Amino acid sequence: RMGPDGAAGQPVTWRKVLWEHQPFPDNYVDRRFLAELRRNEGIRQYRYWAVVKEAGFVGQQLSCVAVFITLWLYMEQGLLSPERLLWTCLVCTLLGYGLHQSLTPPAESGCELRTRLADLQSATIFLSFTFGFSPVLKTLTESVSTDTVYASAVMLLAHLVSFPYAHPSPPGSLSLNAALFASVCLASRLPGALHTFAMLSCALLVFALWPCLLQRLRENTPTQFAGLCVGVCVGGVGGLASQSPGGAVLLALALGTVTLFCPLLLVWLQRHKDNIQGPWDEAEIHEDLLHILQ
């Protein structure tokens, strides 16, 4: 057949190699080039309700922040005593710990007695230090204006942005520190040291322990996990509505957007995705090189 420059002569077959001299330009490709084109290879197809179920974790975490702010508003207005909040947190912690232990596989739990003693020791140390430093934390922001302290609560937004939704057990250090920082700022504006201690204990329960239990439920009981997320979202909207109807409407719109509209948008955009692979891609080594490195 004809050569690359159109002159008659001995047919020359183009080969896709660099080490052999060929009478073709460097950018030459033959008709087989597009035959190796592959479209949407390995693209994951999403189902709407499956995406909604996963987005429920984001929605319930947003609702947890709303619940925490609602509890703080109740305490600031004197509608909720710190003793009642502490007893409620204690009961919820014991129930959640028992449920978490029942859902933990035996291979992960190890020695049950030793694990429970270690957990009890950690909880005792945290509560002791928090209770002892509550008067200090109460006066920590006295020299800072109230508007500045309330503005610092925007760290709750940083908590939501940096939260590891794929693997929330344990929560990420950045998201947990952001939530605790905002909790300290808000708790320092409460009437007494006991209020501060109760609010920080509640923050630990909501932002540190609750995600671990929810992740265990997501792994073992998906149906109950979905129902619990719906319950938390309803509780967040209802609680916020008792203090700020406008804020409850905004929260409901945010939850609807995150859990219903965004999954719909993702599924719709996935249908129009056009990802191509071909011989122009970088080479991938599929051979196991472990024996070479040893």
Side-chain angles (χ1 to χ4, degrees), residues 21-42:
H21 178 71
Q22 302 180 81
F24 296 92
D26 293 339
N27 60 348
Y28 176 81
V29 292
D30 62 359
R31 297 178 180 178
R32 296 172 299 172
F33 183 75
L34 291 181
E36 301 180 25
L37 174 66
R38 305 184 303 276
R39 291 182 178 273
N40 298 331
E41 189 177 58

Side-chain angles (χ1 to χ4, degrees), residues 1-21:
R1 61 194 170 100
M2 302 295 291
D5 54 358
Q10 186 70 22
V12 179
T13 302
W14 175 79
R15 301 174 59 194
K16 190 172 62 175
V17 295
L18 296 177
W19 47 267
E20 179 180 335
H21 178 71

Side-chain angles (χ1 to χ4, degrees), residues 61 64-65 68-69 152-164 171-187 199-209 211:
Q61 196 64 26
C64 284
V65 173
F68 180 79
I69 294 176
S152 300
V154 77
M155 292 299 291
L156 289 173
L157 179 61
H159 161 76
L160 292 173
V161 172
S162 60
F163 189 83
S173 58
L174 178 59
S175 63
L176 182 58
N177 288 331
L180 292 180
F181 173 79
S183 302
V184 170
C185 291
L186 293 176
M199 207 67 218
L200 292 180
S201 300
C202 179
L204 177 69
L205 176 63
V206 172
F207 299 120
L209 301 181

